[in-house]
Amino acid sequence: MASIRRNKSKEKLQNGEIVTVISGLQSSDIIDFLGPIGFDAAWIECEHGSVDWDSLGDMTRACDLWEMASITRVNSNDPGLITRTLDRGSMGIVVPHVNSKEAAERAAQSVSYTHLRAHETLRYIECRLLHEKKKGGGGGGGGGGGG
């Protein structure tokens, strides 16, 4: 029976070691090109990047070949989106726009595969939440800057 892949970057973080991560990747070819250098993980940008589902699967497989953890930032805190990203092979999820305890709990629930034993899920899958404070101020959307 197949086993879950080892998440070397998560293990290094737990041991207080430095993790090297490459980012700006838009294709599996770039991961293959940089793979021999020995990075621990690859940041795959799906919030602000152009990575589609087919490319994501190819990129996570390229990471597997070079023993890099694939860390993917999704574009929203949506359980279906997060689990599909994990199904495409990502070993870590970064969830943006988490502004409340409820949003954090929803993201954490999304990475808990019920068909895996709990210790395997916690050991191999990594979830990072990006706490983003809402900025108050003048009209229009509450963001920083002009409308």
Side-chain angles (χ1 to χ4, degrees):
M1 180 163 109
S3 63
I4 296 176
R5 302 174 319 277
R6 181 176 160 238
N7 189 332
K8 182 171 63 172
S9 68
K10 185 172 182 180
E11 291 172 1
K12 287 179 85 171
L13 287 172
Q14 290 172 333
N15 292 329
E17 300 174 50
I18 293 173
V19 174
T20 57
V21 182
I22 52 175
S23 66
L25 309 171
Q26 297 300 318
S27 76
S28 58
D29 291 335
I30 296 173
I31 294 170
D32 282 332
F33 176 75
L34 296 172
I37 297 172
F39 292 101
D40 298 312
W43 178 285
I44 302 172
E45 182 58 63
C46 290
E47 182 183 21
H48 300 292
S50 61
V51 177
D52 62 18
W53 293 115
D54 290 333
S55 298
L56 179 60
D58 291 341
M59 293 171 78
T60 61
R61 283 188 292 277
C63 287
D64 291 345
L65 290 173
W66 295 106
E67 297 182 357
M68 284 189 271
S70 49
I71 310 299
T72 305
R73 176 161 58 177
V74 295
N75 62 9
S76 68
N77 188 1
D78 176 273
L81 179 68
I82 293 169
T83 54
R84 185 170 184 192
T85 301
L86 293 170
D87 286 342
R88 297 300 295 162
S90 289
M91 297 182 80
I93 300 292
V94 177
V95 182
H97 314 293
V98 176
N99 300 316
S100 67
K101 177 183 175 184
E102 294 77 21
E105 289 171 347
R106 183 172 55 247
Q109 285 282 320
S110 299
V111 298
S112 296
Y113 276 137
T114 56
H115 64 276
L116 296 175
R117 293 187 301 260
H119 72 278
E120 289 178 334
T121 301
L122 296 174
R123 182 172 176 196
Y124 294 105
I125 296 173
E126 186 169 346
C127 179
R128 296 286 180 221
L129 308 175
L130 296 181
H131 176 77
E132 300 180 32
K133 292 183 181 179
K134 294 181 181 178
K135 294 184 180 180

